[in-house]
Amino acid sequence: MSAVQMVPDLSLTRRRLLGGLAGAAGGTTLAVGATTPTALPDVLTDWATEVYPTPPEVRELWQPTVTEAHAREAVELLAETVSEGKRLRKRIETDEHFTGAGGWLENAREALGNGNYHEALFDAGYGLQFAGEELGFARAKLGKTDLQSLADRSRRLRDRSGRVADDLKPYPTVAPGRDLAWYYAVERHLVMARFHDEYDALADESDGAGEDASDSREYDADDFGAITANLLQARLHVRTAERYRDLLGGKLDGATAPYADHLRSVADEFRAGIDSFPSREEVRSEFQAKVEASGDDGPSQPYEFARSRLLRWCYDYDYRFGVDEASDLPVYRAVEFSTGLAQRRAHDFVVDNLVVEPGDRTFDSGHTLAAKRRARSTYRSVVGSDPPPLLTRQVSRAVEDLQVAVVGFGGLDQRPHWREQLKAYCYALVGRAKLREYPALFDAMVNA
């Protein structure tokens, strides 16, 4: 056979080829834990993981409304920040080029003009990071800012976010699957505002608490630039939370039920569920003991590689982001803890159903394609085409797992090649395992 004949013919229609691949994958790896390799060569199954249908972005399913006025306000804030920074920068003797918002203002204006208000809001917020740094730097160089003035701004922002949080109580709800998603949108921006406002650090510095301390620090122009950027981003997050709160208020007509106590109880239950699992260190010790018992003292092999990735993905602490800032925000806490609990449960499911074992040296990417097929089926049954808005907030990370379950997503330069194949397989399997958990976690939140 010639070299040309050995190259697979990929000229078949996408529909026919994917149908055949899915059928073959289903026939040869019917059970989750089946270890029988597929009959298809890796070059085909690798490629198929890329073109196999994946779920849409969750923002395509639901996202809170951004009005034109809201987006325009954000773009104008960015424009004003760039303009003032440019004006002040001209008074500073420097060879550095003024970068403004790094192109994000132009992007935001274009999105606004096209009616893409969510995109305009995002671009404006992202650009504030760069424009704010430029403005804060220039102000500091010209002696137009100090820690006290920044602390006052931070305190006002923290007070505003507190008022918004108070306005949400007692979380009156008409349609829980919808309204709790709106509450989450409000609270998420409050968390981001509090994360950026640097309230604690600035309060300590401005009131002289650390004046004689050995760890007190000197603030230079770059520091003032970073603080200014953070405060501007916090300002926009607070304003967005206020906007969403007002829009939610217009939806709460009719008989409402207070959800505050229920949400706090559910968040505590989810957190207790997370704490009932072994620690990260205990899980690592468990699988490393299996690797050592297998006598596999060579470089990282499939089983160890898969277990280490699963530990990183399911036992990290990303679900705790902003929890300290959310002590008075029960919907945010409940959603984030539901994510953490789903991760822990998914880890155990995946470990129980891995197709690799200690001592294995290879991996057949046909398992990856089969895992994607099963994950897609689970997605359709759990999420579907018209999910409740709250569910879209919960399943976001699981959907991302399915979207990156592609051989070569992280680059094909890693050797041995089975690493990319196995990583895609684990993404598909863990994404599916998380999705399986969310119907019950969703029900726990909405059924007061």
Side-chain angles (χ1 to χ4, degrees):
M1 181 180 294
S2 69
V4 173
Q5 291 174 313
M6 293 177 64
V7 177
D9 180 7
L10 302 182
S11 62
L12 294 172
T13 67
R14 181 174 180 272
R15 182 186 301 272
R16 288 178 57 199
L17 183 55
L18 287 179
L21 289 171
T28 55
T29 56
L30 182 61
V32 173
T35 57
T36 303
T38 67
L40 295 171
D42 281 355
V43 66
L44 276 179
T45 50
D46 286 356
W47 173 79
T49 65
E50 181 179 353
V51 297
Y52 195 84
T54 57
E57 299 285 345
V58 291
R59 64 174 177 266
E60 296 179 23
L61 301 174
W62 183 86
Q63 55 185 336
T65 304
V66 174
T67 64
E68 179 181 0
H70 182 183
R72 188 173 301 281
E73 183 180 22
V75 175
E76 288 175 353
L77 173 61
L78 177 58
E80 292 168 1
T81 303
V82 172
S83 179
E84 185 181 359
K86 184 176 182 179
R87 180 179 63 82
L88 294 180
R89 192 62 178 263
K90 291 178 180 179
R91 298 167 55 185
I92 302 172
E93 294 183 3
T94 177
D95 294 331
E96 295 183 11
H97 177 66
F98 177 75
T99 59
W104 288 98
L105 176 58
E106 292 74 18
N107 292 346
R109 282 173 167 164
E110 181 179 359
L112 181 64
N114 292 333
N116 298 327
Y117 302 139
H118 286 94
E119 183 178 341
L121 176 63
F122 174 84
D123 291 346
Y126 204 86
L128 281 175
Q129 174 184 346
F130 307 102
E133 289 175 351
E134 293 275 8
L135 175 58
F137 178 88
R139 283 176 174 172
K141 285 292 187 179
L142 296 171
K144 291 182 173 293
T145 190
D146 55 60
L147 286 176
Q148 184 61 56
S149 65
L150 293 174
D152 290 342
R153 289 173 59 190
S154 176
R155 186 175 294 106
R156 289 193 294 271
L157 287 170
R158 183 60 66 98
D159 289 344
R160 279 177 64 186
S161 70
R163 288 193 293 271
V164 176
D166 288 340
D167 289 343
L168 304 180
K169 300 172 183 176
Y171 291 82
T173 302
V174 176
R178 177 200 66 187
D179 299 342
L180 294 183
W182 275 94
Y183 280 119
Y184 177 78
V186 176
E187 291 184 347
R188 183 175 180 276
H189 280 281
L190 292 181
V191 166
M192 295 302 297
R194 294 171 179 180
F195 181 78
H196 281 97
D197 69 21
E198 302 199 38
Y199 175 80
D200 294 330
L202 288 173
D204 288 343
E205 291 289 346
S206 63
D207 66 13
E211 218 169 69
D212 299 323
S214 59
D215 61 349
S216 62
R217 54 167 295 187
E218 294 292 331
Y219 286 77
D220 59 20
D222 288 328
D223 294 322
F224 280 103
I227 293 171
T228 300
N230 278 336
L231 292 179
L232 283 166
Q233 290 177 91
R235 174 181 166 182
L236 182 56
H237 282 298
V238 171
R239 186 59 181 137
T240 297
E242 292 170 341
R243 290 269 189 176
Y244 288 167
R245 172 206 58 193
D246 295 342
L247 289 173
L248 170 60
K251 300 178 182 297
L252 299 177
D253 44 349
T256 62
Y259 262 63
D261 291 341
H262 170 70
L263 292 167
R264 283 190 286 267
S265 176
V266 168
D268 290 342
E269 289 177 7
F270 290 165
R271 181 63 179 269
I274 294 171
D275 292 340
S276 70
F277 280 81
S279 69
R280 183 188 184 107
E281 291 70 27
E282 289 172 331
V283 174
R284 182 182 297 277
S285 297
E286 176 267 328
F287 80 74
Q288 287 182 335
K290 287 187 177 181
V291 172
E292 293 173 1
S294 71
D296 188 1
D297 56 358
S300 178
Q301 298 300 335
Y303 180 80
E304 182 179 5
F305 180 83
R307 292 295 305 269
S308 66
R309 289 303 185 276
L310 293 172
L311 180 65
R312 181 189 306 171
W313 300 339
C314 300
Y315 269 79
D316 62 10
Y317 299 102
D318 61 343
Y319 71 89
R320 295 182 181 177
F321 172 80
V323 168
D324 291 341
E325 288 82 8
S327 59
D328 58 337
L329 306 176
V331 183
Y332 181 87
R333 288 170 60 85
V335 170
E336 298 306 304
F337 288 150
S338 75
T339 298
L341 184 54
Q343 288 177 182
R344 296 295 192 274
R345 292 174 175 172
H347 176 272
D348 285 2
F349 174 85
V350 175
V351 168
D352 288 343
N353 291 283
L354 279 176
V355 295
V356 290
E357 299 177 352
D360 286 351
R361 292 292 189 275
T362 60
F363 178 76
D364 173 18
S365 68
H367 294 305
T368 304
L369 184 59
K372 290 197 69 168
R373 178 183 58 79
R374 289 188 289 267
R376 186 173 184 233
S377 176
T378 301
Y379 174 87
R380 285 172 164 174
S381 63
V382 171
V383 181
S385 60
D386 187 25
L390 175 63
L391 183 62
T392 69
R393 306 305 91 179
Q394 292 179 295
V395 303
S396 177
R397 288 297 300 272
V399 170
E400 290 176 5
D401 291 332
L402 302 188
Q403 291 170 337
V404 299
V406 176
V407 177
F409 177 82
L412 289 174
D413 57 341
Q414 293 192 37
R415 294 294 183 270
H417 183 53
W418 59 255
R419 290 184 179 226
E420 283 297 322
Q421 298 168 328
L422 182 54
K423 185 165 65 173
Y425 163 78
C426 287
Y427 268 127
L429 196 54
V430 80
R432 174 184 172 231
K434 290 177 186 177
L435 287 174
R436 293 171 69 252
E437 300 297 328
Y438 281 118
L441 297 173
F442 171 83
D443 288 343
M445 286 194 64
V446 300
N447 294 327

